[in-house]
Amino acid sequence: GTIGRPILLQTNLFLDLGHNRVILTKSKGELKKYGISLETMKRIPLEPDERGIIVRANTIIGPLRFLINTGSTLSCGRTSLVAQSLEYAKRVQKDFRGLSYLVSNVQIGVKEFGWQKLYLFDFSDEITWADGCLGIDFLDKHMVYIDYPNMVVYISSVTDT
């Protein structure tokens, strides 16, 4: 958001929340001293947008634009897009957080991430630049290296390394 983006213009961010690691670097080469290689991670272009870090994903309900959001505990999706799916009634779940929808075959770049639970949220009609967000629940399961100046993100399953 408005706090993180100015930092990301000057430094890169590695998140491995599954192992409680957050590393700021000037270059991806610096990760080697921490035993981290981006070779097993998939390089994915970011969508250029001044309002956030956006990745495009292909899903069973069509292409979606997700904001990578460390400020959101849960991943969410626009209710109107999910409700258009023919499988909607079969996959909606309810818990104490609200309604959620299991989206299968989430593919970001060439990387298949399988199922992702999206909590349904009614976004403002003025937010046309994102269809949902990938929150901490996604980031807990995947390592992410954000190279914002070069408009690229590397994403891996925690189990890939």
Side-chain angles (χ1 to χ4, degrees), residues 75 82 88 91-95 97-103 116-120:
S75 296
V82 173
Y88 177 77
R91 295 190 182 163
V92 170
Q93 300 174 347
K94 186 175 184 174
D95 64 21
R97 295 177 183 116
L99 291 177
S100 64
Y101 181 81
L102 286 174
V103 178
Q116 179 63 45
K117 182 183 279 192
L118 297 178
Y119 281 86
L120 303 180

Short mmCIF file of all heavy atoms in Angstrom, two decimals, residues 75 82 88 91-95 97-103 116-120:
data_model
loop_
_atom_site.label_atom_id
_atom_site.label_comp_id
_atom_site.label_asym_id
_atom_site.label_seq_id
_atom_site.Cartn_x
_atom_site.Cartn_y
_atom_site.Cartn_z
N SER A 75 -7.21 -14.31 2.11
CA SER A 75 -7.37 -14.03 0.69
C SER A 75 -8.85 -13.82 0.40
O SER A 75 -9.70 -14.45 1.01
CB SER A 75 -6.83 -15.19 -0.14
OG SER A 75 -5.44 -15.32 0.06
N VAL A 82 -17.23 -14.41 -8.40
CA VAL A 82 -17.34 -15.80 -7.95
C VAL A 82 -18.76 -16.31 -8.14
O VAL A 82 -18.97 -17.45 -8.53
CB VAL A 82 -16.88 -15.92 -6.48
CG1 VAL A 82 -17.13 -17.30 -5.94
CG2 VAL A 82 -15.40 -15.56 -6.38
N TYR A 88 -20.59 -22.55 -8.15
CA TYR A 88 -20.69 -21.69 -6.96
C TYR A 88 -21.38 -22.40 -5.79
O TYR A 88 -20.85 -22.47 -4.69
CB TYR A 88 -21.44 -20.40 -7.33
CG TYR A 88 -21.67 -19.47 -6.17
CD1 TYR A 88 -20.63 -18.68 -5.70
CD2 TYR A 88 -22.90 -19.38 -5.55
CE1 TYR A 88 -20.83 -17.81 -4.64
CE2 TYR A 88 -23.11 -18.53 -4.49
CZ TYR A 88 -22.06 -17.74 -4.05
OH TYR A 88 -22.26 -16.90 -2.99
N ARG A 91 -19.37 -25.09 -3.91
CA ARG A 91 -18.10 -24.77 -3.26
C ARG A 91 -18.18 -23.69 -2.21
O ARG A 91 -17.17 -23.37 -1.59
CB ARG A 91 -17.07 -24.38 -4.31
CG ARG A 91 -16.74 -25.53 -5.22
CD ARG A 91 -15.58 -25.20 -6.08
NE ARG A 91 -15.31 -26.31 -6.97
CZ ARG A 91 -14.59 -26.22 -8.05
NH1 ARG A 91 -14.04 -25.08 -8.37
NH2 ARG A 91 -14.38 -27.25 -8.81
N VAL A 92 -19.32 -23.10 -1.99
CA VAL A 92 -19.44 -22.06 -0.97
C VAL A 92 -19.44 -22.71 0.40
O VAL A 92 -20.09 -23.71 0.64
CB VAL A 92 -20.71 -21.20 -1.18
CG1 VAL A 92 -20.95 -20.29 0.01
CG2 VAL A 92 -20.57 -20.38 -2.44
N GLN A 93 -18.66 -22.13 1.30
CA GLN A 93 -18.59 -22.58 2.68
C GLN A 93 -18.83 -21.38 3.58
O GLN A 93 -18.61 -20.25 3.19
CB GLN A 93 -17.21 -23.17 2.98
CG GLN A 93 -16.85 -24.35 2.12
CD GLN A 93 -15.42 -24.80 2.37
OE1 GLN A 93 -14.63 -24.12 3.01
NE2 GLN A 93 -15.09 -25.98 1.87
N LYS A 94 -19.26 -21.67 4.79
CA LYS A 94 -19.46 -20.59 5.76
C LYS A 94 -18.76 -20.97 7.06
O LYS A 94 -18.88 -22.10 7.53
CB LYS A 94 -20.95 -20.36 6.01
CG LYS A 94 -21.21 -19.17 6.90
CD LYS A 94 -22.68 -18.86 7.05
CE LYS A 94 -22.84 -17.60 7.87
NZ LYS A 94 -24.21 -17.15 7.94
N ASP A 95 -18.02 -20.03 7.59
CA ASP A 95 -17.43 -20.19 8.91
C ASP A 95 -17.58 -18.87 9.66
O ASP A 95 -18.27 -17.96 9.20
CB ASP A 95 -15.98 -20.68 8.83
CG ASP A 95 -15.03 -19.69 8.16
OD1 ASP A 95 -15.34 -18.49 8.09
OD2 ASP A 95 -13.95 -20.12 7.72
N ARG A 97 -15.79 -16.44 9.87
CA ARG A 97 -15.27 -15.27 9.15
C ARG A 97 -16.22 -14.79 8.06
O ARG A 97 -16.09 -13.69 7.56
CB ARG A 97 -13.93 -15.60 8.51
CG ARG A 97 -12.85 -15.91 9.52
CD ARG A 97 -11.59 -16.31 8.78
NE ARG A 97 -10.56 -16.67 9.70
CZ ARG A 97 -10.02 -17.88 9.81
NH1 ARG A 97 -10.42 -18.86 9.03
NH2 ARG A 97 -9.09 -18.12 10.68
N GLY A 98 -17.13 -15.67 7.63
CA GLY A 98 -18.07 -15.32 6.57
C GLY A 98 -18.10 -16.38 5.50
O GLY A 98 -17.67 -17.51 5.70
N LEU A 99 -18.61 -16.00 4.33
CA LEU A 99 -18.69 -16.93 3.21
C LEU A 99 -17.36 -17.00 2.48
O LEU A 99 -16.69 -15.99 2.27
CB LEU A 99 -19.77 -16.48 2.22
CG LEU A 99 -21.21 -16.57 2.67
CD1 LEU A 99 -22.13 -16.00 1.60
CD2 LEU A 99 -21.59 -18.00 3.00
N SER A 100 -16.99 -18.21 2.08
CA SER A 100 -15.78 -18.39 1.29
C SER A 100 -16.09 -19.32 0.14
O SER A 100 -17.11 -20.02 0.12
CB SER A 100 -14.64 -18.95 2.14
OG SER A 100 -14.97 -20.25 2.60
N TYR A 101 -15.18 -19.32 -0.82
CA TYR A 101 -15.35 -20.10 -2.03
C TYR A 101 -14.01 -20.75 -2.35
O TYR A 101 -12.98 -20.07 -2.36
CB TYR A 101 -15.77 -19.17 -3.17
CG TYR A 101 -16.00 -19.84 -4.49
CD1 TYR A 101 -17.20 -20.50 -4.75
CD2 TYR A 101 -15.05 -19.80 -5.48
CE1 TYR A 101 -17.43 -21.09 -5.98
CE2 TYR A 101 -15.27 -20.39 -6.72
CZ TYR A 101 -16.45 -21.04 -6.95
OH TYR A 101 -16.68 -21.64 -8.16
N LEU A 102 -14.01 -22.05 -2.60
CA LEU A 102 -12.78 -22.74 -2.97
C LEU A 102 -12.61 -22.66 -4.48
O LEU A 102 -13.43 -23.16 -5.24
CB LEU A 102 -12.83 -24.21 -2.55
CG LEU A 102 -12.65 -24.47 -1.06
CD1 LEU A 102 -12.87 -25.94 -0.76
CD2 LEU A 102 -11.28 -24.04 -0.59
N VAL A 103 -11.55 -22.00 -4.91
CA VAL A 103 -11.25 -21.85 -6.32
C VAL A 103 -10.17 -22.87 -6.67
O VAL A 103 -9.10 -22.88 -6.07
CB VAL A 103 -10.76 -20.43 -6.65
CG1 VAL A 103 -10.41 -20.29 -8.11
CG2 VAL A 103 -11.82 -19.41 -6.26
N GLN A 116 -7.39 -22.53 -3.74
CA GLN A 116 -7.23 -21.37 -2.88
C GLN A 116 -8.60 -20.96 -2.36
O GLN A 116 -9.53 -20.81 -3.13
CB GLN A 116 -6.60 -20.19 -3.65
CG GLN A 116 -6.44 -18.93 -2.83
CD GLN A 116 -5.51 -19.10 -1.65
OE1 GLN A 116 -4.45 -19.67 -1.77
NE2 GLN A 116 -5.93 -18.62 -0.50
N LYS A 117 -8.69 -20.81 -1.06
CA LYS A 117 -9.94 -20.34 -0.46
C LYS A 117 -9.97 -18.83 -0.55
O LYS A 117 -9.04 -18.14 -0.13
CB LYS A 117 -10.04 -20.77 1.00
CG LYS A 117 -11.34 -20.35 1.66
CD LYS A 117 -11.40 -20.72 3.14
CE LYS A 117 -11.77 -22.16 3.28
NZ LYS A 117 -12.12 -22.52 4.68
N LEU A 118 -11.05 -18.31 -1.14
CA LEU A 118 -11.26 -16.86 -1.22
C LEU A 118 -12.48 -16.50 -0.39
O LEU A 118 -13.57 -17.04 -0.62
CB LEU A 118 -11.51 -16.43 -2.67
CG LEU A 118 -10.39 -16.67 -3.66
CD1 LEU A 118 -10.83 -16.23 -5.05
CD2 LEU A 118 -9.13 -15.94 -3.25
N TYR A 119 -12.30 -15.61 0.55
CA TYR A 119 -13.45 -15.11 1.31
C TYR A 119 -14.15 -14.08 0.43
O TYR A 119 -13.51 -13.24 -0.20
CB TYR A 119 -13.02 -14.53 2.65
CG TYR A 119 -12.78 -15.66 3.62
CD1 TYR A 119 -11.57 -16.31 3.69
CD2 TYR A 119 -13.82 -16.12 4.43
CE1 TYR A 119 -11.37 -17.39 4.53
CE2 TYR A 119 -13.63 -17.18 5.29
CZ TYR A 119 -12.40 -17.82 5.32
OH TYR A 119 -12.22 -18.89 6.15
N LEU A 120 -15.45 -14.19 0.36
CA LEU A 120 -16.22 -13.35 -0.55
C LEU A 120 -16.40 -11.96 0.05
O LEU A 120 -16.73 -11.81 1.22
CB LEU A 120 -17.57 -14.00 -0.84
CG LEU A 120 -17.47 -15.41 -1.43
CD1 LEU A 120 -18.85 -15.97 -1.70
CD2 LEU A 120 -16.63 -15.42 -2.69
#
